[in-house]
Amino acid sequence: MLKSHQLLLERHFQPVFAPVDLEVRGGELWLITGANGAGKTTLIRLLAGLARPTSGRLLREAGTVAYLGHQLGLKADLSVVENLAFAAALSGGDALPIQRTLERLDLADASHQAARTLSAGQRKRCALARLSLTPASLWLLDEPYANLDAPGVKVVDALLAEHLDGGGACVMSTHGALRPPDLPWRELAIQPWEAPA
Amino acid sequence: MSGRVLLPLLRRDLLLAYRRRTELLLPLVFLLVVVSLFPLGVGPGPQVLARIAVGVIWIAALLATVVSLDGLFRSDFEDGSLEQVAVSGHSLARVALVKALVHWLVAGLPIVLLSPLLAIWMNLPEGGLGALVASLALGTPTLSLLGAIGAALTVSLNRGGQLLSLLVFPLYVPILILATSAVSSATDSLPYNGQLGLLAAGLVAALTLAPMAIAAALKLSLE
């Protein structure tokens, strides 16, 4: 589904991390771990195609990816439903299950509130709701558990389990404090770059 | 990817513009204020005003366009919507075309519609009104498209607005020259379809080439 070979990105002529070899197959959940500043977000953005690698190769299966970054991609002036309807149109997904998704993520009461009036946790839930509307087979999530309460974490795990059961794959970054408890996962620890002697 | 997303994007951006309609009024008020300052500055003599009318109206239109350009991609960039669009696999050039179209609808078209009023304020000679409206109708979409290139290049900079005006004004020079020349010819009862033709050619060139430049600039800004 996604394969990287010696993927490397330089900032100011200095590699951000050691070259990354990664092969993600359908049904797999990968955790990218590393200390703050190790380059987890950078790697996820590379995999999503938002940045171009300095060297190395990145092969991605045809089809869309779902990306969730630190900026959630919600329009503050649009309501929850309007945000999700646009996200569904953008990813070529189906807008019909919006109401069901909102109930699942406990956002049904806030569905017509403007996104600017939501709390940080609710906004995260709204962004996560996009995931169940997109047909994308590969999810790239940057710290999906940040800002979520315990029930929220459970819902994310349930969404992930469904996605993986359906043959999808997910690569997420996490800094180790929170890990999906019930799902088998594989780990990619980001190594700092060491100049060859 | 097909163009299916363009209509939802157009609808979303127009809805967002409507929800922030007070912000949209500011460039237009700015336009009216700039134009109304000239009679105070150079004196209200009808002959003086008639002579500088075209230049004043067009320069004010350029300024109002640049004022409204800075926000074109900024909110999309800051809230992550731009990343979502870039990841979705849709052609960024088409997305850029829609964004420029929305910008023209909310910032350029009102200038065209206001121009007869400005012409009266500035005592524009009678024969020039048609040429003024036509030159604005052909010129302002080009302003939006060229300006969007600058807006896309500067969107990741903190104080991009000032740089944006420096980048964009030189590109606007030919449009300004052609447009004012068209209106001057019209007031002198000379044919002016040559200038309008060149303005139309510029618009076609901008329509076809600018979206690609905007898309490339947006990709650079996202990295």
Side-chain angles (χ1 to χ4, degrees):
Chain A
M1 199 156 276
L2 179 123
K3 199 172 171 182
S4 83
H5 178 70
Q6 294 286 302
L7 203 63
L8 194 69
L9 182 85
E10 284 181 11
R11 288 253 164 84
H12 312 293
F13 304 105
Q14 186 74 30
V16 181
F17 38 64
V20 173
D21 284 309
L22 175 69
E23 185 170 358
V24 183
R25 293 190 190 83
E28 283 183 348
L29 169 63
W30 280 84
L31 259 62
I32 298 176
T33 57
N36 290 142
K40 300 188 291 291
T41 296
T42 310
L43 180 59
I44 293 262
R45 288 177 63 86
L46 267 180
L47 297 180
L50 286 169
R52 225 173 309 162
T54 313
S55 66
R57 264 192 308 171
L58 176 67
L59 296 171
R60 222 169 48 199
E61 219 169 70
T64 54
V65 296
Y67 168 79
L68 178 63
H70 284 292
Q71 275 91 37
L72 298 175
L74 299 175
K75 280 283 163 205
D77 288 323
L78 295 183
S79 73
V80 173
V81 171
E82 286 163 341
N83 266 304
L84 292 180
F86 177 71
L90 189 65
S91 64
D94 193 356
L96 289 176
I98 286 184
Q99 209 51 46
R100 206 169 48 85
T101 307
L102 287 177
E103 275 159 26
R104 195 165 167 194
L105 284 155
D106 206 13
L107 274 174
D109 293 337
S111 58
H112 290 288
Q113 250 172 276
R116 69 163 77 253
T117 64
L118 300 178
S119 73
Q122 281 177 314
R123 239 174 280 162
K124 189 79 178 209
R125 282 165 183 256
C126 183
L128 286 163
R130 274 203 307 254
L131 294 176
S132 57
L133 298 173
T134 146
S137 54
L138 178 63
W139 291 2
L140 299 169
L141 313 178
D142 196 1
E143 307 273 7
Y145 295 105
N147 287 333
L148 284 181
D149 53 8
V153 170
K154 277 218 181 80
V155 177
V156 176
D157 283 347
L159 283 176
L160 264 175
E162 264 174 41
H163 177 60
L164 299 174
D165 274 347
C170 175
V171 180
M172 68 162 76
S173 71
T174 176
H175 49 66
L178 285 158
R179 274 176 179 170
D182 300 331
L183 301 163
W185 45 267
R186 311 177 67 164
E187 182 173 350
L188 173 76
I190 293 191
Q191 307 295 332
W193 163 260
E194 278 166 31
Chain B
M1 279 280 148
S2 69
R4 262 176 318 145
V5 75
L6 300 182
L7 210 59
L9 181 66
L10 181 69
R11 210 177 313 133
R12 183 198 75 165
D13 278 10
L14 285 175
L15 181 64
L16 282 171
Y18 175 71
R19 298 235 162 118
R20 272 184 242 153
R21 47 196 179 277
T22 44
E23 271 176 45
L24 293 179
L25 281 178
L26 291 179
L28 294 179
V29 174
F30 177 80
L31 171 80
L32 295 177
V33 168
V34 169
V35 173
S36 60
L37 282 178
F38 272 86
L40 302 175
V42 300
Q47 274 83 38
V48 181
L49 287 184
R51 204 149 47 81
I52 61 171
V54 202
V56 168
I57 294 171
W58 253 95
I59 290 170
L62 293 189
L63 292 173
T65 306
V66 170
V67 166
S68 58
L69 270 176
D70 190 43
L72 183 52
F73 296 111
R74 189 159 302 276
S75 76
D76 276 4
F77 180 79
E78 280 170 359
D79 64 21
S81 308
L82 198 59
E83 288 176 347
Q84 293 297 330
V85 172
V87 165
S88 72
H90 294 285
S91 139
L92 266 185
R94 289 188 195 180
V95 169
L97 192 60
V98 173
K99 300 290 285 186
L101 172 67
V102 171
H103 179 261
W104 181 73
L105 285 175
V106 301
L109 187 59
I111 298 177
V112 181
L113 298 177
L114 275 176
S115 57
L117 176 70
L118 301 177
I120 294 171
W121 279 10
M122 292 300 294
N123 191 31
L124 184 81
E126 239 168 60
L129 181 60
L132 177 71
V133 175
S135 68
L136 280 168
L138 287 171
T140 47
T142 318
L143 299 184
S144 291
L145 284 160
L146 292 179
I149 303 175
L153 276 173
T154 55
V155 70
S156 62
L157 307 175
N158 276 334
R159 317 250 329 138
Q162 290 140 5
L163 183 61
L164 171 66
S165 49
L166 289 182
L167 278 176
V168 161
F169 277 131
L171 298 175
Y172 285 175
V173 168
I175 304 166
L176 178 67
I177 292 173
L178 285 171
T180 48
S181 150
V183 182
S184 310
S185 299
T187 53
D188 296 340
S189 309
L190 294 170
Y192 56 91
N193 38 15
Q195 290 95 322
L196 286 188
L198 281 172
L199 277 176
L203 173 57
V204 171
L207 267 176
T208 42
L209 298 175
M212 284 182 262
I214 300 166
L218 284 177
K219 268 186 205 145
L220 269 181
S221 291
L222 276 174
E223 272 187 23

